Every structure is written in structure tokens, then in C-alpha cells.
Amino acid sequence: MNSPNKQFKFVKVLVVIGTTLFGGTLFAQKPVLSEDFDFSIGEKYKHIKNYTTYYVGNGSRFMSIKKGRKDITIQRFSLKDMKEDVKKRQVIEDKGDFNGAMNLDGKAVVFYSKKNKAFAQVISLTGIVAGKPVQLVSEKENISDDFGFKSTYGFDAGGRINKFVFKKSPNGEKLLVLFRVKTPSDEGDKIGISVFDSELTRLWTRKVTLPYPTKKIRAEDFLINNEGTFFMTASIFAEESSDKDKLKETYRTEFFKITADDKEVVKASIGVPNRAIADAVLGIDAAGLIRVTGFYTTKDNKAIATGLFSTKIDSLGKVVETISSDIPGELKEQFAAARETRINEGTQKKTDKDDFEDLHVNSLSFNADGSVVILAEQRYVTSQTTSSSSGSRTIYKYYYRNIVASKLMTSGKIEWMHILPKYQMGTRGKSSMSYFTFKEYGKHYLFYIDDFTNLKRGFEEFPAKYYDRKKEFLYLTAFVINDGTGEVVKEPILTGSDIRNSRLDFLRVSQAVRLRNRDIIFEAFDGKKNNLLLKISDTKE
């Protein structure tokens, strides 16, 4: 592990609002929108009530897939004029338990399940055509109602608890269907793996018994690479446990590789000496190596992240090396001083969560030199149950708070690190919260919806809360980070008042579709009875 001394480069943090900036103090009446982007909107069309919505875009075509109570509504659009082709609106039968939809190699595919069977159905982007359902899995053994993996990285988790999960390879040309077989808690945990090509032709399928009983293993993240090989990570507990609580119990982290032909499950230990892996995800770097990357903690306090790591694994499933670094002491002191100032000013409670508590990796970006940018988010759920004469009621609150952005070099040096302030809270899952990220021109763009008053707040100030689904104009903002220098600015992208004859009341930001021409497509709600498409275009040539 590298010493935290002299390994961190301080960089500029700027907020760009209006035309005046004085050392972090901002003066503006109305924000001047970023010059890097332009926007356009389409005609309004009827809002269709739904439980959940998915979007698929390819070329000049765009589709929304809306799951209703008993059916699924398909809306098709031309991105040339940003209009819905109403004549091509289609309602199809919900044939089972709806499990989501995705863009699979340019095709819109809907997934659903019936008991121990999983199905896929291709929906045409251009014509009023819904293909014949394709049976992907039919399992004779009993399948667990929860597929068991804790990670929600790199795929749509939907309601989170599903029998089957569907995830595509990084190049979007292969599909993984994963499930878990019910087994006694003292027997080896058993998973089912099926891999398909983009035409939904099965390439291989296996049921694999892992070398640990259910009471000692907690499956974490998983992926298939572009060749269709399956990889996963898991926490292995020292003692059998029904809770498998990583904050309270002793565990280690292991990596597994499973192929179509090799009957043996290849496994390897992942870790940093004298540390516990708190949150980590799987990715593939520019050299084609599997990387397990994330945060670690001390073993005495596993609630708060204290460092970053990235483990490289070769094609045989063997660990090549682990790069790691504690968060530099001078940086922790800087963050602690800013927090103390906010507490003394009364803008933040002393009992509030630590800056590095409840961190989850949202995105990895690997550079050609082997360095990795880790974008994480402080997110968690609270619940409160109240009782009355008519019964009890539980209210869940979902929090999507600060973004922690870091760059870890192959030398083990943390090149830069930022805590980017935001505070989003809602009661209906992710909804309009979290952020949408992409990399272009050597910069990382993080789009999110914020409370307007935060546009004039500095990075060390405590942000005002943004309340999901509050009836007010939305403000789409972006953090922009220079990958090389670490310099970060905050820029307003769009204000709800800039949309003519409309009030942008709701956007599912994290579900935005970015096309090959770099256009970003959102579906917006005007707060009344209509939706409209919003296109944000890159103004750089």
C-alpha cells in the first residue's frame, strides 16, 4: 500500500454561474447556460401513466416502453423532428412478470418471466411489430425469488428483487441471464448462467455450485466480457451467518471465473493487506484485463471508506497486481475542516453521515495508461414505521447525496479527488435522482437535477435539498471534470424556464439515452398531462 504522504495533487474547483466569479463567491440573477451544449424540444404528446419506463435509441429512432398495470405501451419517435409517430403507438400484452428492457446491439428487447421461465421479446423501433417471445431459460429446479447478488452496477435493477437478472456485455453484443437455485443454507450456493448472442441464440448455459455454503457467501458484483465468459465477486464470511452483515462480521473478498467448458470454478482472493473491501465492482480496462475496483476500510471501522484500490486479473483468472492508496491525510483534513465550518455555521448537523460513509461505485472509466477514474455516490435508504388503529405503515426515503470522484494511477497515487456536493431525496426509488455520466474530449460530464439555489453555492458549502417530484421548475446541472488535471467546474445545462410553453417537472436523468452522434435524449413531463422529448446536443465539432 502506498503512503498517503505527498501523493495528492490539489486542483482548482470552480463554479461557473452568470459572468462573475470572485474566489468562490457568486453573483447572478439567472444562470448563463453552458456553451458546450445546446438543446431542442419536440412536440408535446399524451402522458401515459405507468409503473416504470425504459428507453431505447438507435440512429434517428427512439422508443419508450411503459409498463402499465396489465399491459405495456410502446411509443415510437423520429429524432429528426422529435415527434411521436402516434399511428405507431402500440399496446402489447404483459405476458408475465415484467423484468425490464434494454438496447441489445441496436434492438429493443423486453424481458419477462413466468414461474421458472425467462423470456425475451424483440420490439421493432420502426414498425408496429412485436416479435414472438423467445424462451431463454426453463429451469426444473426451484429458483430463488431473489437472484441474490447485492450489486446494481451496470444493469437496470428495477425493483431490485427479481428471480432473473439480464445484463449485456460491454460491447452490447452478448446477453447474460442469471438466476439462483434454492439450496439448503448448509450446502454450496448454486447459480444458473445462460449466455446468448445478440440474436438471442444460446451460446452456453451452466448451473454451478460455488465452493461455499449459502450461510457463508454473499454474492456481490458480476459481468460477462465480450467473449461471453462469466465473472463475479463475493464476500466470504469467517462464520456462518444469516445476516451476513459486512459492518459487523469478519469476511474476505474473492473473485470467480466461470466458462462454458472449464468445469472447475477458478477463484482468487482480492484484497488490500489489513483492510476490508467495502464496495467494489467489475470492469474491463483498455488492455482487456478484468479489474475489480472500489473502496476499502479499516477492519476496526468498516462503515467509512479510507482508501481506493484496483486489482488486475488476467485471462486465466489469476491476480496480476493490486494498486491501492489510502485517502491522503492532508485531503481528509481539508474535508474535515470544511465539515466543521458547516457545523459551526449551522448548515450541517453534527450527526450527519461522514463524507465517506455509504459510498457506492456508480461508474469506472479506464484510461490507456492503466489509470482509472472512479465515480461514486453516497446513497442509502431509511425507513420509518408508524402504527394506528387502521394498521401500520412504513415510509421509505431514498437519498442520493454527494458524488466522490477520484483518479487512481497505476503507481498507486491518487492523482485527484473531489467531493461534489448534492443532496437529493425522494420516496419513490431513484426516480429523477442520481446522475448521468459520460466522457468526451478528455472530460467527465455528470448531469444531475439540483435545487436552483445550489447554483450559487461553493463546493465546500452544504447543498440545499432537491426533492424528487416536487412541483417546480427543474434545473439540470453538470459537474465537468478534466481527466488529466482534475480541474472541476459546475455548469448549468438547462433551466425549466427556458422551455417554451412548458414546465419541465420531471426527468429520469439516469435513464438518458446517449446516441452515437453524442446527442442525449430525455423524456420530460410538463407537470400536467403531457410528455415531450428533450435533446441536448454537443456544440463542439
Side-chain angles (χ1 to χ4, degrees), residues 42 63 90 106 118 135 189 198 207 317 321 356 417 424 439:
M63 173 189 291
Q90 183 179 14
Q135 181 175 286
D189 213 51
S198 60
K207 286 188 291 185
E321 66 172 333
F356 294 96
M417 174 180 276
Q424 300 166 313
K439 183 182 179 183

Side-chain angles (χ1 to χ4, degrees), residues 47-53 55 398 424-433 449-450 465-474 503-509 511 523-527 531:
H47 172 70
I48 297 173
K49 292 184 179 180
N50 62 90
Y51 292 117
T52 186
T53 302
Y55 304 104
Y398 300 83
Q424 300 166 313
M425 191 272 284
T427 58
R428 302 186 187 182
K430 183 185 290 186
S431 193
S432 66
M433 300 182 288
I449 296 176
D450 203 0
K465 283 183 184 179
Y466 160 74
Y467 293 93
D468 175 50
R469 295 179 184 265
K470 186 177 181 181
K471 300 294 183 180
E472 60 182 18
F473 287 115
L474 296 182
R503 180 183 75 178
L504 288 189
D505 186 83
F506 182 74
L507 287 175
R508 289 183 175 89
V509 173
Q511 288 184 271
E523 183 180 52
F525 179 52
D526 69 358
N531 288 118

